[in-house]
Amino acid sequence: MNSEKGNYFEWVYQVVREIPAGRVTSYGAIAHYLGLKSGARMVGYAMNAAHSSPDVPAHRVVNRQGLLTGKHHFANSTRMEELLLDEGVRVENDQVLDFPTRFWDPEKELES
DNA sequence: ACCGTGACGAGAT
DNA sequence: CATCTCGCCACGG
């Protein structure tokens, strides 16, 4: 039933899908929101699997520094930066500018 | 069944 | 303030 091991990947996708354009969040924030307290890494893993889910804007998920750590996992290393820039998120040197303001905390903004 | 690796994070040095 | 180490857990070889 609920005991499916990979089911938690869906939880991550669900949250990521709720990220509004022009905003970004961190792996740890999602992990913490889902209760995967130390699962920040697992969230990154889920993102890797999200490769098969077109509805998962993984480009809106960055590390806690606001750094595009996962840009290398996209079709091209610049794809993530382009997608963010297209949504109004300014990126420089693989880092999101004004990150604290762009930060979208699921636990705070989505608290449902 | 064992080991290494990894889109992270926080604490310690 | 920069760097290192550990923890966490899933998955491939």
Side-chain angles (χ1 to χ4, degrees), chain A residues 13-81:
Chain A
Y13 303 148
Q14 192 73 30
V15 176
V16 174
R17 273 183 264 215
E18 293 298 308
I19 304 174
R23 299 278 193 236
V24 291
T25 191
S26 61
Y27 305 95
I30 296 171
H32 187 70
Y33 174 69
L34 295 177
L36 305 173
K37 193 172 173 269
S38 326
R41 254 175 168 163
M42 303 297 97
V43 173
Y45 245 24
M47 292 287 99
N48 201 16
H51 198 283
S52 304
S53 296
D55 292 318
V56 180
H59 61 272
R60 293 184 190 149
V61 186
V62 296
N63 77 343
R64 211 221 176 265
Q65 274 182 39
L67 194 62
L68 281 55
T69 48
K71 69 169 193 171
H72 284 287
H73 290 258
F74 286 75
N76 293 310
S77 326
T78 52
R79 188 61 192 240
M80 189 174 185
E81 191 173 324

